[in-house]
Amino acid sequence: MKRATRIPTRRTTTTKRLAGAVAAALLAFAGSAAAGPTITFGKEGSLTFNYSFQGWAQDRGYTSSTDSGRQTDFFLRRNRLTFSGQYNDLVGFYANVDAPSDSRGGDDDKSIFFRDAYITVDHSDELRFIVGRFKNAFTRENLEACFDPLTMDRAEVMSYTPWGGSRDTGIAMWGNLADGRFQYKVMASDGREGAEVAKDSPRLTGRVHVSLLDPEFDFGYRGTYLGTRRVLTIGAAYDYQKSVAYRDFVGKSDTVDYKAWTADVFFEQPTSAGTVTASAAVMRYDTGKAHFGLSPDPNLPATTDLEGWYVKAGYLLPGKVGPGRVQVFGRHERSEYNLPSGYRDQKWDGIGVHYLIDGQLLKVSFEAAQVKFDVQNPTNPSQRDYKQYTLGLQFIF
């Protein structure tokens, strides 16, 4: 995606615009932090290839929802090939194929699929469009590039909306105002679809943020800028879809709407003593407690009426330790699912370290986490207290 810097009123040169297009591909919000080979076509066209890899070794206090035995697992958390570039001065494109969690829990040879595929139209810095399948514009943490996180990864559940998850298919209009200090996003997408939906209405999402220090001008964000920016951004978003479910699924009556809101803040301050990063967010997904209906829809996800919050912080040491840099981090998260059983409600605490051999391009990470549930599920080990240790290697080309 083209980097959303302020566009001057007069036409820039083709060379400058091509450079901007290539830079944009590096900062594509779906998650790449560097550029691989670039091919140019004609006067304005370009195509850049990227390969991004995350390999994890994870030790966890249970094996599956039916097996309480401790598990050690080696798998590919993410394994992506990305294509991005410009068709011309106005139109760009982005696509990536992924085979996530390959070999996790013995599930080998995962199918490759298009995680993102979209076209961008950049009329001006104030007015831009995205058409296709891409990250939904709701929570900040979902919009943070997964190869530029502050912690080991984003929240396993809370940052993903119940309809569409991390991505959705549709169209977005967005832009930057006041030299990038203010950003807006408006998105219309599929949301929940299928025969079980009471009415197939579009999902509508709106998000705004204000940057009080250095602007965050891309469609997406980073979990840390590794001390290259001074950032204080405050954001909020609203998500809505009409008639997504029946509270009486058998009788096909008592329809409910989906409404969600979130607010977040992100701060990063580089100093001579190191870089401090902190982030916090609260979110509420509300579907009228459809799980409590007369005969609830059996296809409703557990996150239908989820509410929660998180805080996370990091500290990047000022100098190198050996060939790389060290960044320590921690996270506390609280989730309440509002389910009739009372299961799943939990507190999640984690602490870890990144060893940045070449920034985000090559790093080794470790995280220790402890998950505690309000109510221990007697039949599902995954919903009882457990500890988790994760060692990861990240490589981007």
Side-chain angles (χ1 to χ4, degrees):
M1 177 179 299
K2 186 177 293 182
R3 182 168 172 160
T5 49
R6 184 169 62 90
I7 296 178
T9 53
R10 67 181 182 83
R11 199 72 163 174
T12 54
T13 65
T14 299
T15 302
K16 290 181 179 179
R17 296 305 294 269
L18 275 175
V22 173
L26 317 186
L27 295 172
F29 69 84
S32 180
T38 296
I39 303 171
T40 59
F41 297 91
K43 295 182 178 180
E44 297 179 330
S46 66
L47 172 63
T48 298
F49 303 91
N50 286 92
Y51 176 64
S52 305
F53 167 93
Q54 288 177 340
W56 284 13
Q58 190 170 79
D59 181 81
R60 193 174 59 188
Y62 68 92
T63 298
S64 70
S65 60
T66 58
D67 186 348
S68 60
R70 193 171 193 89
Q71 179 190 44
T72 300
D73 197 10
F74 298 86
F75 60 94
L76 305 185
R77 176 65 181 91
R78 294 178 175 91
N79 187 24
R80 297 183 183 177
L81 182 61
T82 300
F83 311 87
S84 58
Q86 291 294 123
Y87 170 71
N88 59 23
D89 186 59
L90 179 68
V91 178
F93 58 91
Y94 182 97
N96 78 61
V97 292
D98 195 5
S101 297
D102 195 8
S103 292
R104 190 171 195 171
D107 187 4
D108 297 321
D109 301 323
K110 291 288 290 292
S111 297
I112 298 174
F113 64 96
F114 277 95
R115 181 169 291 279
D116 301 273
Y118 57 83
I119 302 298
T120 62
V121 180
D122 297 334
H123 176 270
S124 65
D125 198 27
E126 296 79 14
L127 184 62
R128 297 166 180 265
F129 298 91
I130 307 172
V131 180
R133 178 169 177 78
F134 52 96
K135 282 190 174 181
N136 69 66
F138 187 57
T139 64
R140 177 188 172 102
E141 194 169 47
N142 179 56
L143 286 164
E144 289 178 351
C146 53
F147 288 91
D148 296 274
L150 176 61
T151 53
M152 191 81 177
D153 206 345
R154 59 175 73 96
E156 292 184 359
V157 175
M158 189 168 56
S159 295
Y160 304 117
T161 57
W163 326 118
S166 65
R167 269 82 170 171
D168 211 340
T169 303
I171 182 170
M173 179 177 71
W174 70 287
N176 296 294
L177 307 174
D179 290 330
R181 302 294 179 184
F182 178 84
Q183 185 183 97
Y184 73 92
K185 302 181 182 80
V186 180
M187 181 174 176
S189 56
D190 282 337
R192 192 182 193 206
E193 294 184 298
E196 68 273 13
V197 178
K199 182 180 179 180
D200 192 358
S201 303
R203 171 187 177 186
L204 304 174
T205 310
R207 179 176 175 86
V208 296
H209 79 231
V210 177
S211 295
L212 303 179
L213 298 176
D214 291 345
E216 294 188 279
F217 36 69
D218 297 316
F219 186 90
Y221 305 102
R222 296 190 184 189
T224 174
Y225 293 92
L226 300 180
T228 60
R229 296 189 194 179
R230 296 172 59 249
V231 182
L232 177 57
T233 298
I234 301 170
Y238 188 77
D239 205 20
Y240 174 80
Q241 188 172 5
K242 186 176 178 59
S243 302
V244 294
Y246 298 103
R247 297 184 81 245
D248 180 2
F249 185 71
V250 174
K252 295 295 186 291
S253 64
D254 195 5
T255 62
V256 291
D257 300 335
Y258 159 75
K259 304 177 290 293
W261 62 269
T262 184
D264 49 76
V265 59
F266 176 87
F267 172 76
E268 183 157 294
Q269 177 65 56
T271 71
S272 59
T275 297
V276 175
T277 307
S279 183
V282 58
M283 57 275 291
R284 175 74 170 96
Y285 306 113
D286 179 5
T287 317
K289 293 190 175 180
H291 284 287
F292 289 81
L294 180 63
S295 59
D297 183 345
N299 299 301
L300 286 174
T303 55
T304 295
D305 285 280
L306 174 66
E307 58 185 316
W309 55 273
Y310 69 78
V311 291
K312 53 184 177 179
Y315 171 65
L316 177 67
L317 275 63
K320 286 189 173 182
V321 178
R325 301 185 68 185
V326 173
Q327 184 182 48
V328 295
F329 60 84
R331 178 189 184 99
H332 175 76
E333 176 185 312
R334 171 65 180 171
S335 303
E336 297 181 10
Y337 286 75
N338 294 298
L339 295 171
S341 66
Y343 299 141
R344 293 182 180 266
D345 295 353
Q346 63 183 263
K347 290 188 298 184
W348 199 99
D349 291 287
I351 187 169
V353 60
H354 299 300
Y355 188 59
L356 304 153
I357 301 169
D358 187 11
Q360 302 286 15
L361 305 183
L362 182 62
K363 71 176 182 181
V364 178
S365 304
F366 175 78
E367 182 179 67
Q370 178 173 269
V371 183
K372 291 188 174 182
F373 291 84
D374 294 0
V375 180
Q376 307 296 306
N377 190 324
T379 61
N380 187 339
S382 70
Q383 295 172 20
R384 299 199 290 262
D385 296 351
Y386 68 91
K387 294 181 179 179
Q388 179 174 283
Y389 305 94
T390 307
L391 177 67
L393 171 67
Q394 175 168 299
F395 171 76
I396 302 173
F397 174 76

